[in-house]
Amino acid sequence: MRPSVLDPLFASVTTLDGIGSKLAALLANVVPVDTTGRDVRIGDLIFVLPHGMIDRRKRYEIATAPEGVIVTIEVRIDRHQAPSRGGGSMPYRVFAHDETGELALTFFHAKGAWLQNVLPEGERMIVSGRMEWFNGRPSMVHPDHMVLADRAGELPLVEPVYPLTAGLSTKVLRRSILAAVDQVPPLPEWMDPELMRRRSFPALNEALARLHNPADPVEIDPNSAAWRRLAYDELLAGQLALALVRRRIRKASGRPLVGDGRYEALIRAALPYSLTESQSIALSEIKADLALPERMLRLLQGDVGSGKTVVALLAMARAAEAGGQSALMAPTEILARQHLATIAPLAERAGLRAAILTGRDKGAERQRTLDDIAAGRIDFVIGTHALFQESVAFHDLALAIVDEQHRFGVHQRLSMSAKGDTPDMLVMTATPIPRTLVLTAFGDMDVSRLPEKPAGRQPIQTATLPIERLSDLVERLRKAVAEGQKVYWICPLVEESEEVKLMSADERFTALQPAFAGKIGLIHGRMNGRDKDEAMRAFKAGETRLLVGTTVIEVGVDVPDATIIVIEHAERFGLAQLHQLRGRVGRGSKPSSCVLLYKEPLGEVAKQRLSVMRETEDGFRIAEEDLKLRGEGELLGTRQSGTPGFRVARLEHHSDLLEIARDDARLILERDPELRSERGEALRLLLYLYGRDDAVRLLRAG
Ligand code: ADP
Ligand code: MG
């Protein structure tokens, strides 16, 4: 049970004054956690940290105030000039002056009476807002602040700027956050006092106060003591949770899985290719782990198209030789079905049975599969995350493989271990993750890499093309399709709130229909599962040859004879995602190409991204460039800022704290393995605060 002292932080934001369900829905867009399926909590809101600030400290004079900049000026109010009746969209103007000149405070759709009250004629006032020059005259449209000069203290001198979302104003967001911060109860300190002293870390409440009510811009820098304190908390919570899982995994002594190679040999004989050198090495590393009495905890890292699936299959074959079942968990339904399609026929050649279990399988058929799994009649169970969330009883689960592609979630691994199954674990990822990220996402894991691609792959030609040349492209694609080639056409997801005119996948499908009648398919996330399968199947079988889709096909989809991919509005995608998408082609022996369609004007970063894509296919190089362009947090193409799975920690600023947190976590658990001491109890609060309560559950169980 969660300690009740934390209740205020787990209360819905709607319990705060002035926050209703409508505002709460907007707040869900800015909090740094996924709140799908639950209310936004007060404890989510306190971690919305400012990404910049407005500095109103410096005073300017009208004549020399820089244009386009937010300035603070002391003026005397001279006269009000209401728009004449029938003046249409004419603004209401209030003229004011200082020694250097005149300033027009300009208001659209304003109420005169209100303005008379706020800006009384003859008063000295301080106004703060963006300076503009209109027809050669200085003006300020809708000043942010207007206070009497006598009450200058009411002007916020340093105002934090928060990430915004449509419909939510800075003022309302700030007010909500401050109300949330007010609710943070005094909590016992969990941080090592010596570390706190050495690093000048403030207490939690103090850190939050400084970040949300800064007296100086340096306080809201990620390198400030306040931010670093929060980051350390979060990293410590993460390392503690991972250490608990790992300890639990290691403690539940594994068993040696030793095989004689008979299934492996049969499957390898059925493969139309032989393993690459790096696949063979990875496989032997895995087999060596499996043979140990300790449990395996290994990461298999390989760029898109490097051939991870077959390594997974042969690892599962090994487990089967030792008499155990294996589970393979895919990030999407499409991918789970694709894995089944690859694996089932090969398994059959070795006399082994594979089955799929996802949220979609229902009724009697599902029950039969469940029975077969429980009775041990199925050797390889393939599924989505649902597989581990539900009560699937295995006869004897020996090996669990998680195909993460480039999505991360410590969460699933935790829940899997919490279930009490103690299989060997292999996590597959296509992201060339730097060491620090491996540490945060997985703790101390062993790593196997697939640096080389299978032989015979041809380089992918990448070209960029402005959208204006669309008709040329369509003409070329028609020829390619007539020659029997297969084409993906990717459209970005269009958010309903977006005003920019973008074509959705639906609309693009309709627009391309005449040119590719009968040979064109559509796939996107809002279609139901069976329709998605059917779209994939038809494309694989060659019944359709142009597949228009959203990024649902980004992850892992394998159609080796697809040779062209068009990415529309490529400027809107991150580098990692472009690389993933491009990896859908170039998987067979035929030359492939990638066309990045863009819309002018291109921003500087977008321009650079596209040129990196043209220059290289090397996933590591692309990850590095991405890091340079966007910071480590965005490397994985997740949130706009920050590191995936983290609320406040930014690895590009805080990676030095990571190692300390890891050592700290280790030491804590050595001294107080069940977190029973006074500090241990406080650390439990920390785990709850950062959503690592799965780990607390492990404690109790362990
Ligand atoms: P990823 O690592 O992206 O998951 P896959 O496992 O989907 O890659 O493999 C990509 C493609 O490469 C598949 O079509 C697979 O059959 C093929 N492949 C895998 N290993 C080899 C190999 N050693 N030689 C040739 N092709 C291979
Ligand atoms: Mg894959």
Side-chain angles (χ1 to χ4, degrees):
M1 274 280 282
R2 189 177 63 225
S4 58
V5 61
L6 291 173
D7 288 352
L9 295 174
F10 283 78
S12 162
V13 289
T14 56
T15 61
L16 293 170
D17 278 350
I19 301 187
S21 56
K22 223 171 120 198
L23 178 51
L26 292 174
L27 292 172
N29 296 330
V30 295
V31 296
V33 273
D34 182 3
T35 57
T36 320
R38 66 165 174 88
D39 277 6
V40 176
R41 297 172 187 146
I42 290 172
D44 300 325
L45 208 47
I46 61 173
F47 292 124
V48 177
L49 297 187
H51 61 62
M53 58 126 238
I54 300 169
D55 190 348
R56 302 186 196 276
R57 291 177 299 178
K58 186 164 167 332
R59 292 290 172 85
Y60 288 86
E61 293 182 322
I62 293 173
T64 50
E67 176 162 21
V69 170
I70 290 181
V71 299
T72 305
I73 309 179
E74 181 169 337
V75 296
R76 185 175 293 278
I77 305 299
D78 297 325
R79 65 196 161 87
H80 284 235
Q81 185 186 79
S84 56
R85 272 181 205 289
S89 59
M90 290 293 288
Y92 189 112
R93 288 205 175 86
V94 178
F95 292 95
H97 77 274
D98 69 4
E99 271 142 41
T100 66
E102 186 174 67
L103 174 67
L105 304 171
T106 307
F107 302 85
F108 293 89
H109 312 293
K111 295 226 164 52
W114 178 75
L115 284 171
Q116 290 283 358
N117 189 31
V118 175
L119 296 166
E121 283 176 16
E123 283 288 355
R124 280 194 315 119
M125 303 217 46
I126 293 169
V127 294
S128 188
R130 194 174 302 280
M131 192 69 180
E132 283 168 43
W133 288 72
F134 190 71
N135 286 342
R137 308 167 103 180
S139 74
M140 193 181 282
V141 180
H142 294 226
D144 305 329
H145 297 279
M146 302 174 274
V147 300
L148 290 168
D150 296 344
R151 306 203 353 218
E154 289 173 14
L155 180 79
L157 293 179
V158 178
E159 263 185 307
V161 181
Y162 295 97
L164 273 182
T165 186
L168 187 62
S169 75
T170 310
K171 262 190 188 147
V172 172
L173 177 58
R174 177 122 196 269
R175 187 160 21 87
S176 310
I177 293 173
L178 289 178
V181 170
D182 255 357
Q183 298 295 312
V184 180
L187 297 173
E189 186 56 69
W190 45 74
M191 199 177 277
D192 173 35
E194 180 53 26
L195 179 72
M196 258 182 103
R197 199 187 50 75
R198 261 202 335 264
R199 303 254 161 183
S200 319
F201 283 154
L204 174 69
N205 291 57
E206 169 68 19
L208 289 169
R210 279 197 214 165
L211 287 164
H212 293 295
N213 252 328
D216 191 286
V218 299
E219 289 184 338
I220 59 161
D221 192 283
N223 294 313
S224 70
W227 198 311
R228 283 170 68 81
R229 145 122 222 177
L230 296 187
Y232 186 79
D233 278 352
E234 183 164 42
L235 294 171
L236 180 62
Q239 290 303 305
L240 210 48
L242 287 166
L244 284 167
V245 175
R246 195 173 170 81
R247 204 180 47 142
R248 167 75 179 260
I249 288 175
R250 295 284 191 213
K251 202 167 72 180
S253 66
R255 55 173 169 166
L257 293 176
V258 186
D260 56 10
R262 66 188 191 280
Y263 295 146
E264 181 186 334
L266 288 167
I267 292 172
R268 285 176 82 144
L271 288 173
Y273 50 76
S274 49
L275 295 191
T276 64
E277 168 101 11
S278 48
Q279 283 171 324
S280 302
I281 293 172
L283 183 62
S284 28
E285 286 168 346
I286 292 166
K287 288 199 291 198
D289 278 3
L290 291 177
L292 293 175
E294 281 203 331
R295 291 185 62 199
M296 172 168 81
L297 208 51
R298 183 171 283 276
L299 183 67
L300 176 60
Q301 216 177 23
D303 203 358
V304 285
S306 59
K308 294 183 288 296
T309 317
V310 70
V311 176
L313 170 62
L314 292 170
M316 297 197 291
R318 189 69 170 187
E321 287 164 15
Q325 289 172 299
S326 301
L328 171 58
M329 181 160 103
T332 65
E333 175 104 27
I334 293 183
L335 218 51
R337 298 204 177 259
Q338 176 183 291
H339 281 324
L340 181 77
T342 312
I343 287 170
L346 289 165
E348 210 171 294
R349 297 288 280 273
L352 297 168
R353 266 189 77 193
I356 191 164
L357 195 68
T358 69
R360 206 203 300 164
D361 305 291
K362 299 221 161 63
E365 201 181 322
R366 179 188 186 79
Q367 194 50 52
R368 205 169 321 120
T369 308
L370 284 172
D371 293 345
D372 285 349
I373 294 171
R377 286 189 290 270
I378 290 183
D379 306 285
F380 304 157
V381 183
I382 297 161
T384 50
H385 297 152
L387 187 55
F388 292 99
Q389 279 146 16
E390 294 168 31
S391 51
V392 180
F394 286 88
H395 176 67
D396 179 14
L397 182 62
L399 171 64
I401 303 179
V402 186
D403 184 2
E404 299 237 320
Q405 297 295 333
H406 62 300
R407 297 170 188 202
F408 288 88
V410 191
H411 191 78
Q412 299 125 21
R413 281 181 293 285
L414 283 171
S415 59
M416 185 151 69
S417 306
K419 258 191 64 179
D421 291 323
T422 53
D424 281 307
M425 285 201 53
L426 180 68
V427 177
M428 304 198 289
T429 173
T431 309
I433 331 167
R435 179 71 204 154
T436 45
L437 272 185
V438 173
L439 198 58
T440 50
F442 304 100
D444 283 328
M445 249 187 159
D446 303 307
V447 179
S448 294
R449 292 207 166 80
L450 299 181
E452 52 169 316
K453 295 213 174 156
R457 295 278 170 83
Q458 306 239 14
I460 303 170
Q461 287 291 336
T462 300
T464 49
L465 197 72
I467 188 86
E468 286 74 27
R469 307 241 328 256
L470 187 81
S471 52
D472 297 351
L473 175 64
V474 170
E475 212 29 64
R476 269 189 283 155
L477 292 180
R478 267 165 65 122
K479 286 205 191 99
V481 164
E483 285 164 11
Q485 298 197 59
K486 286 183 187 171
V487 185
Y488 293 108
W489 186 301
I490 313 293
C491 299
L493 271 182
V494 185
E495 310 242 337
E496 274 168 33
S497 59
E498 272 185 310
E499 283 175 31
V500 199
K501 187 64 200 131
L502 288 184
M503 269 215 179
S504 66
D506 281 309
E507 289 165 327
R508 180 53 74 203
F509 172 76
T510 312
L512 290 173
Q513 187 85 40
F516 299 92
K519 293 203 174 111
I520 181 168
L522 174 66
I523 186 163
H524 58 66
R526 274 168 295 123
M527 284 162 54
N528 76 38
R530 304 216 179 264
D531 290 348
K532 274 193 261 183
D533 288 351
E534 173 51 24
M536 272 324 298
R537 189 206 56 77
F539 185 61
K540 246 188 167 152
E543 290 159 25
T544 57
R545 303 206 151 258
L546 181 94
L547 184 62
V548 180
T550 56
T551 49
V552 290
I553 65 166
E554 152 197 357
V555 197
V557 168
D558 185 37
V559 180
D561 61 345
T563 49
I564 302 176
I565 185 163
V566 177
I567 305 173
E568 187 165 346
H569 283 292
E571 78 280 359
R572 297 174 65 96
F573 292 94
L575 258 184
Q577 207 175 13
L578 288 173
H579 178 62
Q580 283 287 333
L581 284 166
R582 181 170 58 184
R584 297 309 112 216
V585 300
R587 306 188 136 237
S589 53
K590 298 242 179 59
S592 295
S593 52
C594 168
V595 180
L596 303 171
L597 271 180
Y598 63 89
K599 185 159 165 47
E600 304 267 25
L602 280 183
E604 199 44 48
V605 172
K607 214 178 273 174
Q608 287 189 39
R609 274 194 216 129
L610 297 188
S611 79
V612 170
M613 286 297 291
R614 261 194 322 254
E615 277 162 31
T616 184
E617 262 190 72
D618 178 341
F620 273 95
R621 165 93 209 279
I622 289 175
E624 264 167 34
E625 295 292 335
D626 207 14
L627 200 60
K628 275 191 225 145
L629 289 176
R630 309 203 297 170
E632 192 153 354
E634 287 184 66
L635 178 61
L636 308 169
T638 52
R639 293 211 151 253
Q640 280 205 328
S641 58
T643 301
F646 288 88
R647 301 172 196 196
V648 298
R650 307 262 186 278
L651 286 186
E652 66 271 32
H653 297 289
H654 305 137
S655 58
D656 60 317
L657 297 178
L658 184 59
E659 307 269 337
I660 305 174
R662 185 193 49 184
D663 295 344
D664 201 4
R666 209 180 276 154
L667 210 65
I668 289 166
L669 291 178
E670 257 167 41
R671 291 187 188 151
D672 181 15
E674 294 301 322
L675 298 184
R676 295 261 176 243
S677 68
E678 199 179 322
R679 185 178 179 210
E681 295 289 342
L683 284 161
R684 287 175 180 237
L685 299 179
L686 172 69
L687 290 169
Y688 277 107
L689 192 60
Y690 282 97
R692 309 282 184 172
D693 22 326
D694 279 350
V696 181
R697 222 169 296 136
L698 280 185
L699 267 179
R700 207 164 298 109

